[in-house]
Amino acid sequence: MQDVKNTADLEPYAPMIDPFERVINYLRVSVTDRCDFRCTYCMAEHMTFLPRKDLLSLEELDRLCSTFIAKGVKKLRLTGGEPLMRKNIMHLIRELSRHLASGALEELTLTTNGSQLSRFARELKECGVQRINVSIDTLDHDKFQQITRWGKLEQVLNGINAALEAGLHVKLNTVALKNFNEFEIPSMLQWAHARGMDMTLIETMPLGEIDIDRTDQYLPLSKVRQNLQSEFTLTPLNYRTGGPARYYKIAETGGKLGFITPLTHNFCESCNRVRITCTGTLFMCLGQEDAADLREPLRASESNALLSRTIDEAISRKPKGHDFIIDRRDQRPALPRHMSMTGG
Ligand code: SAM
Ligand code: SF4
C-alpha cells in the first residue's frame, strides 16, 4: 500500500451535523460483501457477489475513512460481509490505527463472525483495537451449522478464546430467531457473562432477498425480555456504546445485555452514524434507500475537497428515521439490499 500519511486526510473540516441536529461521529464501513458463512437470515446460499474491480481498494478505503475522521468521526467500525476475509485487511487496520495514535479517532473496532480470529486477534490488539463484536446465534454444533450453513462452531469458539486471551473485550451479537434459539438465550447469556462478555440481542431486519420466509424467523425482543424476566432481574442502564442498543444489567450474572429492536422500538432519534458499502456508497440510514456515491468523487481528484463536499451534501439529506415492516401479506424485503452490503 502506498504511503497515505501525507495526503490531505487530516485537513480540518466542519463537523457533520444533519438536519435534525444530530452530530455524525460514527462510521461503519463494509470492507467486503463476501463471507465464509451463509447465515440464513442474512444471505441466500448461492449469492452473487460484486466483481472485485467494483470494490474500493485498501488505499481508497483508507482515504475515505481518514476524510470522515477529519470530519469528526470518532468511532470507526469495520464490518462486511466478513471483514477478516478481505485480503490484506490487517494492512488497512494497521494504517488506520495511526488515527488512534494521533488521538483523532477514539475507537477502531470490528464486527466479525469470529472464524478468522484465531489468526488475527493478537495483531488486532497490537493495532489498538480494544473491543470487537462477535456474532454467534447458538452454542449447539448442529444448530450452528444449520443457521450459518457453512460455519463450524469450534472454529468460532477458538476464535473467541484467542480474542479473550489477546486482551480484547468481546461482545456477542445474537440474532433472536423464533423456533431456533428462543429458549437457548438464557443459557447463552450465562455462558457469555461467565466469560466476561456482554451480549446484545438483535431482532431480524427485512434486508435483502433470502431463501426463507422472514415472518417464520421473526421473534420480537419484547417477548424475549419478558421470558428472561422470569429467570433474571433486568435493570435498565444509561450505558451506551454509540450504537442503537438499549442495555440492561443482569443482577444474577453481573453482565450487561443489550437489545436492538429496529422493528418494535424506534431508535432513530439518537442516530449518530452513517454506513459505507465496499463500493463506496454512503447510506445515511440503514432503513432507507437514499444513498450517495463517494467512489466517483474519491477517484475524480487527489484532493479530498470534492469528496468532503459530496459527504456534506449527503448528510444534509439524512432522514429522520426508517420504516421497516415485516408484513405477512407482503413477503418482499423492505429493502432489496442485504445486510452484508451495508454491514448491519
Ligand atoms: N460477518 C460479520 C458478522 O456476522 O458479525 C459482520 C457482518 S454481519 C452482516 C453484521 C451483523 O448483522 C451480524 O451480527 C448479523 O447477525 C447481523 N445480521 C445480518 N443480517 C441480519 C438481518 N437480516 N437482521 C438482523 N441482523 C442481521
Ligand atoms: Fe456472513 Fe455475517 Fe452475514 Fe453471517 S451475518 S452470512 S457471518 S455477513
Side-chain angles (χ1 to χ4, degrees):
M1 188 154 112
Q2 77 196 47
D3 185 10
V4 285
K5 295 177 191 65
N6 295 326
T7 61
D9 62 358
L10 289 185
E11 279 168 20
Y13 291 107
M16 296 176 288
I17 300 174
D18 80 359
F20 306 96
E21 302 287 313
R22 294 170 298 192
V23 176
I24 309 304
N25 54 19
Y26 181 3
L27 176 67
R28 302 175 70 114
V29 181
S30 174
V31 295
T32 176
D33 62 332
R34 287 163 199 253
C35 188
D36 51 339
F37 291 3
R38 290 290 181 278
C39 302
T40 57
Y41 49 80
C42 179
M43 293 191 186
E45 183 154 18
H46 302 287
M47 291 282 288
T48 309
F49 292 109
L50 294 162
R52 283 182 208 272
K53 66 170 174 42
D54 288 356
L55 300 197
L56 295 184
S57 68
L58 294 179
E59 288 82 0
E60 287 170 333
L61 282 168
D62 184 305
R63 217 180 119 200
L64 200 50
C65 292
S66 299
T67 304
F68 271 94
I69 293 165
K71 292 172 75 63
V73 160
K74 297 285 174 215
K75 176 167 171 175
L76 176 60
R77 179 178 295 278
L78 304 184
T79 174
E82 174 45 42
L84 295 178
M85 292 301 286
R86 173 87 196 237
K87 200 170 166 213
N88 289 333
I89 186 65
M90 285 314 304
H91 199 85
L92 175 67
I93 293 175
R94 201 166 274 284
E95 288 291 329
L96 288 173
S97 72
R98 72 188 183 279
H99 298 303
L100 289 173
S102 77
L105 185 64
E106 286 168 9
E107 183 168 27
L108 176 58
T109 183
L110 69 159
T111 301
T112 171
N113 65 23
S115 71
Q116 309 301 312
L117 276 175
S118 299
R119 267 163 76 199
F120 293 128
R122 197 185 294 215
E123 208 178 339
L124 286 169
K125 179 70 180 167
E126 279 166 18
C127 288
V129 174
Q130 303 290 347
R131 311 189 294 141
I132 56 169
N133 289 355
V134 180
S135 305
I136 186 165
D137 302 323
T138 175
L139 293 172
D140 177 284
H141 284 81
D142 294 340
K143 282 167 82 177
F144 188 83
Q145 194 154 12
Q146 187 191 329
I147 199 78
T148 61
R149 292 195 185 103
W150 297 0
K152 295 263 179 298
L153 178 64
E154 210 54 44
Q155 199 180 337
V156 172
L157 295 180
N158 289 341
I160 291 175
N161 285 337
L164 293 173
E165 274 165 29
L168 292 167
H169 293 281
V170 178
K171 182 167 73 72
L172 300 186
N173 279 348
T174 301
V175 177
L177 297 159
K178 192 161 73 178
N179 302 326
F180 180 75
N181 60 7
E182 190 171 352
F183 301 107
E184 199 192 336
I185 289 171
S187 59
M188 287 184 76
L189 182 66
Q190 270 163 332
W191 179 84
H193 285 182
R195 284 158 186 77
M197 300 184 283
D198 289 332
M199 186 172 174
T200 298
L201 298 172
I202 309 173
E203 243 168 36
T204 49
M205 297 181 223
L207 294 177
E209 292 285 352
I210 52 173
D211 302 328
I212 48 178
D213 179 353
R214 286 185 196 277
T215 52
D216 288 346
Q217 295 185 310
Y218 177 60
L219 173 62
L221 289 188
S222 49
K223 185 156 180 270
V224 176
R225 187 160 56 222
Q226 218 173 4
N227 290 345
L228 283 169
Q229 273 163 340
S230 64
E231 218 173 305
F232 299 101
T233 317
L234 279 69
T235 314
L237 292 171
N238 283 328
Y239 171 81
R240 301 299 290 261
T241 56
R246 297 279 149 89
Y247 283 92
Y248 291 78
K249 180 97 181 168
I250 308 288
E252 289 75 6
T253 60
K256 292 191 206 65
L257 177 65
F259 293 86
I260 299 186
T261 54
L263 302 174
T264 54
H265 187 277
N266 206 319
F267 54 71
C268 305
E269 72 279 358
S270 58
C271 181
N272 58 346
R273 73 210 74 109
V274 290
R275 299 173 162 81
I276 300 179
T277 68
C278 52
T279 55
T281 303
L282 174 67
F283 281 93
M284 287 73 85
C285 172
L286 180 62
Q288 302 276 359
E289 295 233 51
D290 189 23
D293 172 42
L294 300 182
R295 190 174 55 180
E296 200 183 304
L298 186 71
R299 290 183 176 169
S301 154
E302 279 187 17
S303 142
N304 292 334
L306 176 63
L307 176 62
S308 173
R309 277 202 306 278
T310 313
I311 294 169
D312 288 341
E313 203 276 317
I315 299 294
S316 78
R317 303 201 309 264
K318 185 169 160 67
K320 193 167 180 195
H322 64 68
D323 33 44
F324 287 128
I325 295 173
I326 290 186
D327 187 339
R328 264 199 186 281
R329 285 158 303 174
D330 182 0
Q331 291 297 333
R332 280 170 308 138
L335 290 172
R337 64 179 191 272
H338 289 88
M339 185 74 107
S340 50
M341 224 181 114
T342 35

